[in-house]
Amino acid sequence: MQKENTSAASAPSGTVERVLAILELLSHQPEGIALGEMADELGLPRSACHRLLAELGRCGYVRQLREQGDYVLTTKMPALGLNFLGGAGIVDIAQPIIDRLAEVSGELVRLALVDGDSLIFVAKAQGARTGLRYDPDMGIDVRLSCSAGGHAWLMTLSEERATELVARQGFGKPAQFGPNAPTTFKALMKTLDEDRARGFSMIVESYAPGMTAMAAPVTRRSQGTIAVITIAGPLMRLNPRRMQELGRPLQQAAHELALASAGSPLFTLRPGR
């Protein structure tokens, strides 16, 4: 999914903010992006954008595909993330649980950590062996208003806090999501009430057309929700009836992750509330 246009009024100002904005934009452009397009997207002067790209290139984080060509990330940034997650023990703890749920469900299973005011996918297992495989990008900032993972987190928060988080992130443009994506707070709160009564979230063509997903919060008594675990797949296989059948295995996996979470410092960081 492409990053939304950033207006000049909200363009990054400080050097660090500009560098981070460039890295985030490049993470959504694996095939590369031209200097002019990048500068326009971020609302930066082309000279400043070029200077920062040169520094990022010198440090090994960015490269040009050819002379005067598009810019792309190198593997240095992903390697840093993988080293961090590996050192934090999250893969060792979560992967066996995720793998088992993927085998049971036959669909894509992912783990997203609560990181301040965001949800970030950090681990996954693909259970589908044949046919259509749903596998969106990892490391994305999850859209809270229309994703199963977002709903699983929001349903554990107060209405005031949930509204604050969604208002800060926004509902996004309807054309970027599925036909059933909530576009008002009233519709979202109704969905969250249904999720709370069920014990896990379910979406049908909300995040993307033809796709469904479900998610359960990973909750520790002293910290609240620290993560969510999701199952996602095509509507033709993962229909509402199938999601109801998978509710118990999903909640069991979330419970196992909560019990195992004390073994990783990432899980002990105080999440956003």
Side-chain angles (χ1 to χ4, degrees):
M1 187 173 297
Q2 300 297 318
K3 188 175 181 179
E4 295 175 22
N5 289 334
T6 305
S7 65
S10 60
S13 55
T15 300
V16 173
E17 187 180 359
R18 287 179 171 185
V19 168
L20 292 175
I22 288 173
L23 292 174
E24 289 178 0
L25 178 59
L26 287 173
S27 73
H28 293 274
Q29 303 287 347
E31 296 181 357
I33 183 172
L35 169 63
E37 185 179 352
M38 185 186 308
D40 292 343
E41 179 83 5
L42 297 175
L44 296 177
R46 295 194 179 191
S47 58
C49 193
H50 183 267
R51 184 172 62 254
L52 293 173
L53 284 167
E55 282 297 301
L56 286 168
R58 183 181 66 81
C59 295
Y61 290 96
V62 170
R63 65 182 175 90
Q64 247 182 319
L65 294 177
R66 58 187 181 281
E67 187 176 355
Q68 297 183 345
D70 293 348
Y71 289 86
V72 296
L73 287 179
T74 67
T75 58
K76 188 172 183 178
M77 182 64 71
L80 286 176
L82 291 173
N83 286 339
F84 173 68
L85 292 175
I90 185 66
V91 175
D92 292 338
I93 291 170
Q95 200 63 54
I97 300 172
I98 294 173
D99 289 343
R100 286 199 301 272
L101 186 58
E103 183 176 356
V104 168
S105 66
E107 303 293 351
L108 176 68
V109 175
R110 294 179 293 171
L111 176 70
L113 297 184
V114 174
D115 186 5
D117 292 345
S118 302
L119 273 178
I120 306 294
F121 285 120
V122 297
K124 68 178 180 179
Q126 178 59 263
R129 300 291 180 244
T130 60
L132 180 62
R133 298 186 184 186
Y134 181 50
D135 197 352
D137 294 337
M138 295 293 288
I140 62 172
D141 190 352
V142 180
R143 178 68 67 175
L144 301 178
S145 63
C146 61
S147 66
H151 290 185
W153 180 28
L154 295 176
M155 77 183 199
T156 67
L157 304 175
S158 67
E159 183 173 331
E160 180 182 7
R161 177 61 172 150
T163 299
E164 175 190 357
L165 289 172
V166 174
R168 184 173 300 164
Q169 190 185 52
F171 282 93
K173 298 178 180 179
Q176 295 177 316
F177 303 105
N180 297 328
T183 57
T184 66
F185 286 105
K186 182 178 180 180
L188 176 60
M189 294 305 157
K190 181 178 183 296
T191 297
L192 295 182
D193 285 340
E194 295 170 352
D195 293 336
R196 291 187 190 98
R198 189 187 304 114
F200 56 90
S201 67
M202 288 173 46
I203 61 169
V204 176
E205 293 192 298
S206 178
Y207 192 77
M211 308 308 300
T212 62
M214 57 191 298
V218 178
T219 304
R220 294 182 67 178
R221 183 175 300 177
S222 61
Q223 293 180 272
T225 299
I226 56 175
V228 299
I229 184 169
T230 73
I231 302 174
L235 176 58
M236 68 180 72
R237 287 198 311 256
L238 193 62
N239 54 42
R241 180 178 178 179
R242 178 59 175 157
M243 286 192 282
Q244 289 284 1
E245 294 172 350
L246 290 171
R248 186 170 181 178
L250 173 68
Q251 290 177 298
Q252 180 60 37
H255 179 65
E256 290 180 39
L257 283 167
L259 293 176
S261 63
S264 169
L266 271 186
F267 282 119
T268 59
L269 296 175
R270 189 171 184 84
R273 294 182 180 278

